[in-house]
Amino acid sequence: RRGILVQAWSPLGGASLAWPSLGFAASGACEEIGKKRGKTAAQVALRWILQQGATFTTQTKSKAHFVEDLDIFDFELTPS
């Protein structure tokens, strides 16, 4: 509306946080949705951010994680 871009920085936690301690993973909701769609909890969380009209920045040293983070354009989240 006003041309402001919202961006989530390190929405999956970052280097200082352990994966299980993240809120979206601990709730189990993203994991449950991901299992139904053949995606990871992280992919579900990133897709949700995108569908809210925001962007995100993630970082990893693993090529596999980088590819996984970008594999979010072949599904959509819908209200249950």
Side-chain angles (χ1 to χ4, degrees), residues 31-61:
E31 189 172 323
E32 184 179 325
I33 293 166
K35 283 181 183 178
K36 291 178 183 176
R37 300 185 175 275
K39 298 293 179 180
T40 65
Q43 288 170 314
V44 171
L46 294 174
R47 180 64 196 194
W48 184 86
I49 292 167
L50 193 68
Q51 285 185 213
Q52 301 311 303
T55 62
F56 59 84
T57 300
T58 61
Q59 68 178 20
T60 180
K61 293 180 182 177

Side-chain angles (χ1 to χ4, degrees), residues 10-30:
S10 296
L12 303 178
S16 63
L17 292 177
W19 168 249
S21 70
L22 301 177
F24 77 85
S27 72
C30 288

